[in-house]
Amino acid sequence: MRRGEPRGHWILLSLGGLVVAVLLLMDGFAGGSVGEAPRADPGHSGPAPSRVTAGGPVLNLAGGAPESRRMPAKTIALTFDDGPDPEWTPRILDVLRRHDARATFFTVGSHVAREPALTRRILREGHEIGSHTYTHADLAAAPRWRARLEMDLTQRALAGAAGVHTRLMRMPYSSRPDGLTAPEWRAAERAGGDGYIVVLTDRDTEDWTRPGTETIVQRALEAGRRGEGAVVMLHDSGGDRSETVAAVGRILDRLQPQGYRFTTLAQALGMPRAEVAVPARERAVGWTLVTAQRAASGLTGTMSAVFGVAGLLCVLRLVALLAFAHVHVRRVRRPAGRGHRRGGPPPPPGGLPPDPFPPVSVIVPAYNEEAGIAATVTTLLDTDYPGTVEVIVVDDGSGDGTAAIVESMALPGLQLLRKPNGGKPSALNAGIAVARSEILVLVDGDTVFQRDTLRHLVAPFADPEVGAVSGNTKVANRGGLLGRWQHIEYVIGFNLDRRMFDLLRCMPTVPGAIGAFRRSVLAEVGGVPGDTLAEDTDLTMAICRTGRRVVYEEKALAWTEAPASLRQLWRQRYRWCYGTMQAMWKHRRSVVERGGSGRFGRRCLPYLTVFQVLLPLFAPAIDLFAVFGLIFLDPLVPVVSWTLFVAAQAAAGAYALWLDGESVRPLWALPLQQFVYRQLMYLVVVQSVVTALLGARLGWHTIRRTGTFADFGTREQSPGPVGYR
């Protein structure tokens, strides 16, 4: 691997995460607008100056002394707050067009950014646009910097969407002049000082409360009895506005025949147009804001869908794993014994049954394994297996005392093979070349067996269809929190998955820690492959494509030393994940092939793609979306979702542990696993995908052994045995 590649990967990942976080924050900020609603009393007292509260609804505060204006007689300015809304604003525009009426729309800036085409339609059809802040913020309670930001962002959105700024503004939660409080008046003064015409209302229909169409109409027509003009406040967003749409039509139907005209505020009062064209630079800045806001909104919608789909897939997967595990246990634990179930067809007349205890060659590739190699060899030879067992340790150019330790043991049946360092696949193939048995057991140098492991591991070969057997790997160093997390993962994830793969005849991996193979099958697939970093997965997939069965033997236990630090765990899983993706790509044609190869490809590869690549790839963004939901949405949804997810995992974990005869006590660490371990595993997948997309070549990452089995001396010191239920 080139020196600069890991740093470059992290820069890409960090930038990607930052972009997603910024977009979610942007949409969360903009999403504060949900329309009119009762607001909490800010605790301020005192009205605005009497010259304002007794005046008209249109305030010009630019000249120092406030100047208020009222609408001329029989002139109605219909004003709509909180839009534009993709559902209700077009309906209102359609009603206005049929009646040849004009109106003023006080738009929320974030909605303008999300609906630029609708904003342009408002202007194109002769209506007027004013500012209603960017997020429907209460300017009376907001600090000055927030109020300025709200107004500036709205102008940027209008510039990006329609190429204009506006001179009009209406404060959210405001109403008539006689209802202005002192804080609202101060906010209006600040807006006036910035050059805005502040618009209040004469007739607040309170249509956001959905009082009924007729009530809205009556409130809007109160001035009609005396022939007065009025500014009428309505809403085109923030909820179901069907009553408002119907009310607008009735208002126009009743008042237009009486000579009332419906026009914009600026036209009614003889003022210059509210909209002012902006230069190209301002349009470019606004376009950037609009694009970012639309991307943020789209991301949030997409993430909502992904969150739901991911949750559904996880639930379905969990249910499927438990169902398959239940069926698998019932099949393999029948009183007649596993050999009967997998014994295949009876031998032909005069034929001999297969040898139940054939000779076995155990091959241990070892590179700098001095910390645990003695324990591994001791447990392999201290077995109750009735047949002949030879153990071949292949020292792959170790720089420590691995070879010397094996040589000094001088045990019967033990053979040491030295070779220059060439990697694990080459060491395994070297051992296979000198092995004398048809049944080959491949074991990592950091693994110990129980006395009955070989006997259980070899038993399935009584079925001539079986080409390989996966054992049951257990974490030995499970004392700390990291060890408990890996223990839970091995039992819940790895072993439940293997039960399902066994039944579906699509096993993707026989683990390097414990696996048995027919020599003839290995020869058929060309030996252990060396062109991927997950040689065990690559080899297993190749065997599955031959149509041979690869089965899981739950009673063949192997205790392995798991990484003892997050750094070591990262290195191990990074290699596993990258190597697995290499193997999936290498065997991708199995999806369209016939026979056993096609069965394997169509069952296994889509499953691995979805649950080991795609979902983990999106998981960091989903976690960010969950945090987004806690802050900006209903926090109950992510909290309940997370609680149910952990509870379901705990239930599945308890069942898996019970099946393996394990204590359920480690499950107390499961909730904590969701905050560190799970994110680490997901980031491994993300970095692996980035590495693959960039075409980088990942090197072999060795794991430093801590010597979990270094003091192993007798069978009683081994981590097992454990029972079965």
Side-chain angles (χ1 to χ4, degrees):
M1 182 184 297
R2 293 184 291 274
R3 182 177 297 273
E5 286 173 353
R7 182 180 180 86
H9 294 178
W10 277 113
I11 292 175
L12 285 175
L13 294 175
S14 300
L15 287 176
L18 180 62
V19 168
V20 171
V22 169
L23 290 177
L24 288 175
L25 286 173
M26 188 174 184
D27 193 66
F29 172 73
S33 172
V34 294
E36 295 291 342
R39 60 174 175 172
D41 185 352
H44 302 299
S45 59
S50 58
R51 61 182 181 275
V52 173
T53 58
V58 182
L59 303 176
N60 185 347
L61 307 174
E67 175 189 354
S68 66
R69 300 279 300 276
R70 295 183 184 276
M71 298 297 291
K74 287 198 170 185
T75 302
I76 303 294
L78 296 176
T79 63
F80 298 92
D81 293 1
D82 298 349
D85 181 273
E87 180 177 3
W88 302 111
T89 304
R91 298 189 186 187
I92 290 172
L93 289 173
D94 291 342
V95 173
L96 294 172
R97 185 175 64 245
R98 287 195 298 270
H99 290 80
D100 194 25
R102 304 292 180 267
T104 301
F105 290 81
F106 288 98
T107 56
V108 173
S110 61
H111 292 182
V112 169
R114 291 173 185 162
E115 302 293 336
L118 191 51
T119 303
R120 291 191 292 270
R121 178 186 170 184
I122 291 173
L123 294 176
R124 187 171 60 250
E125 296 185 2
H127 305 291
E128 189 173 53
I129 283 182
S131 173
H132 202 47
T133 75
Y134 196 76
T135 68
H136 202 270
D138 184 357
L139 298 184
R144 183 167 298 187
W145 68 265
R146 172 70 185 274
R148 177 66 60 84
L149 176 66
E150 291 279 339
M151 301 305 296
D152 287 349
L153 286 177
T154 302
Q155 296 285 32
R156 297 281 188 271
L158 287 170
V164 299
H165 283 170
T166 181
R167 296 187 177 98
L168 300 180
M169 70 87 65
R170 173 178 279 163
M171 298 181 294
Y173 306 105
S174 64
S175 183
R176 298 182 310 192
D178 58 5
L180 278 178
T181 65
E184 288 173 332
W185 167 243
R186 287 193 292 270
E189 279 189 309
R190 289 194 295 268
D194 290 334
Y196 288 99
I197 301 296
V198 179
V199 180
L200 301 171
T201 188
D202 293 306
R203 302 289 175 255
D204 185 354
T205 64
E206 296 188 352
D207 59 330
W208 57 271
T209 63
R210 300 186 64 191
T213 298
E214 190 58 36
T215 300
I216 296 172
V217 172
Q218 291 301 323
R219 291 171 179 173
L221 296 182
E222 285 181 6
R225 304 189 187 100
R226 299 182 296 274
E228 299 173 353
V231 176
V232 178
M233 181 186 289
L234 298 152
H235 296 82
D236 62 331
S237 185
D240 184 348
R241 294 292 174 252
S242 56
E243 293 179 355
T244 301
V245 174
V248 171
R250 294 190 190 181
I251 293 169
L252 293 168
D253 287 339
R254 292 188 187 184
L255 293 185
Q256 278 185 328
Q258 300 178 30
Y260 280 83
R261 66 183 184 126
F262 291 82
T263 186
T264 64
L265 283 163
Q267 188 175 12
L269 297 176
M271 299 188 302
R273 283 187 60 87
E275 300 83 22
V276 179
V278 297
R281 179 181 176 278
E282 191 66 25
R283 284 185 177 225
V285 173
W287 179 88
T288 303
L289 174 64
V290 168
T291 301
Q293 187 64 68
R294 297 190 75 187
S297 178
L299 176 65
T300 303
T302 301
M303 291 305 301
S304 297
V306 170
F307 189 85
V309 171
L312 178 61
L313 287 175
C314 288
V315 169
L316 293 176
R317 174 179 181 262
L318 198 59
V319 171
L321 286 177
L322 294 177
F324 278 112
H326 178 71
V327 174
H328 184 269
V329 168
R330 287 175 61 88
R331 288 190 182 181
V332 302
R333 298 185 187 178
R334 288 175 179 172
R338 183 174 189 137
H340 176 77
R341 198 265 292 184
R342 284 196 173 142
L352 296 175
D355 183 357
F357 305 111
V360 173
S361 295
V362 184
I363 301 168
V364 185
Y367 175 75
N368 292 342
E369 296 284 2
E370 66 177 5
I373 192 65
T376 298
V377 171
T378 300
T379 60
L380 291 174
L381 291 172
D382 182 17
T383 177
D384 65 2
Y385 184 69
T388 303
V389 177
E390 67 168 348
V391 176
I392 303 171
V393 177
V394 184
D395 181 65
D396 190 35
S398 298
D400 63 359
T402 299
I405 292 173
V406 175
E407 197 169 38
S408 67
M409 296 179 73
L411 295 173
L414 175 62
Q415 178 182 350
L416 174 64
L417 177 64
R418 299 175 186 261
K419 64 178 288 292
N421 180 255
K424 185 178 178 182
S426 71
L428 288 169
N429 286 324
I432 292 170
V434 302
R436 297 190 295 268
S437 306
E438 168 65 13
I439 303 301
L440 304 175
V441 176
L442 310 185
V443 182
D444 285 343
D446 61 344
T447 303
V448 299
F449 277 18
Q450 298 191 168
R451 298 196 77 247
D452 60 353
T453 297
L454 278 178
R455 178 162 49 84
H456 290 302
L457 190 63
V458 174
F461 287 108
D463 183 348
E465 291 186 4
V466 173
V469 180
S470 167
N472 187 349
T473 312
K474 297 287 186 180
V475 174
N477 52 330
R478 59 177 75 170
L481 186 59
L482 184 59
R484 286 189 178 90
W485 287 341
Q486 293 179 83
H487 167 50
I488 293 171
E489 180 188 27
Y490 270 59
V491 175
I492 299 178
F494 297 168
N495 290 333
L496 278 184
D497 274 346
R498 288 194 178 100
R499 295 179 190 274
M500 178 182 69
F501 292 137
D502 186 344
L503 292 176
L504 295 178
R505 301 188 66 169
C506 60
M507 187 77 67
T509 305
V510 172
I514 176 171
F517 304 84
R518 293 188 191 272
R519 175 193 289 274
S520 57
V521 174
L522 291 180
E524 183 179 347
V525 299
V528 179
D531 54 346
T532 65
L533 292 179
E535 84 293 330
D536 48 2
T537 299
D538 192 356
L539 174 61
T540 308
M541 290 183 176
I543 294 173
C544 285
R545 293 181 70 182
T546 67
R548 299 297 187 99
R549 295 199 61 187
V550 180
V551 301
Y552 171 63
E553 177 49 72
E554 61 178 355
K555 294 184 180 180
L557 300 182
W559 298 85
T560 189
E561 179 181 330
S565 68
L566 288 176
R567 178 179 176 81
Q568 293 293 316
L569 179 64
W570 177 276
R571 291 166 65 88
Q572 180 197 66
R573 298 308 174 85
Y574 188 19
R575 177 177 64 82
W576 284 7
C577 181
Y578 188 85
T580 298
M581 289 193 298
Q582 284 180 310
M584 291 167 62
W585 181 253
K586 180 178 177 180
H587 297 282
R588 65 190 182 278
R589 289 193 59 82
S590 63
V591 175
V592 297
E593 292 174 345
R594 297 177 179 271
S597 179
R599 177 180 60 238
F600 161 77
R602 287 185 287 276
R603 293 179 181 179
C604 182
L605 294 187
Y607 178 88
L608 296 181
T609 300
V610 171
F611 292 105
Q612 293 195 20
V613 179
L614 293 182
L615 285 185
L617 193 63
F618 287 104
I622 293 174
D623 286 346
L624 283 175
F625 184 72
V627 175
F628 168 84
L630 285 173
I631 299 173
F632 297 108
L633 304 177
D634 182 359
L636 189 62
V637 174
V639 169
V640 170
S641 299
W642 181 85
T643 303
L644 292 176
F645 175 74
V646 174
Q649 275 203 319
Y655 180 64
L657 290 167
W658 180 79
L659 288 180
D660 269 12
E662 297 271 10
S663 169
V664 299
R665 286 193 298 271
L667 287 177
W668 69 263
L670 185 62
L672 298 176
Q673 190 184 47
Q674 309 303 309
F675 295 104
V676 179
Y677 190 85
R678 189 169 64 91
Q679 283 72 21
L680 183 70
M681 296 299 100
Y682 291 161
L683 289 176
V684 164
V685 177
V686 174
Q687 186 172 5
S688 298
V689 171
V690 172
T691 301
L693 292 177
L694 293 179
R697 174 69 181 178
L698 180 65
W700 188 279
H701 288 169
T702 58
I703 306 300
R704 184 175 61 85
R705 306 301 180 194
T706 59
T708 299
F709 308 117
D711 297 328
F712 181 89
T714 64
R715 178 65 59 178
E716 285 71 28
Q717 290 174 295
S718 71
V722 296
Y724 284 85
R725 301 191 185 280

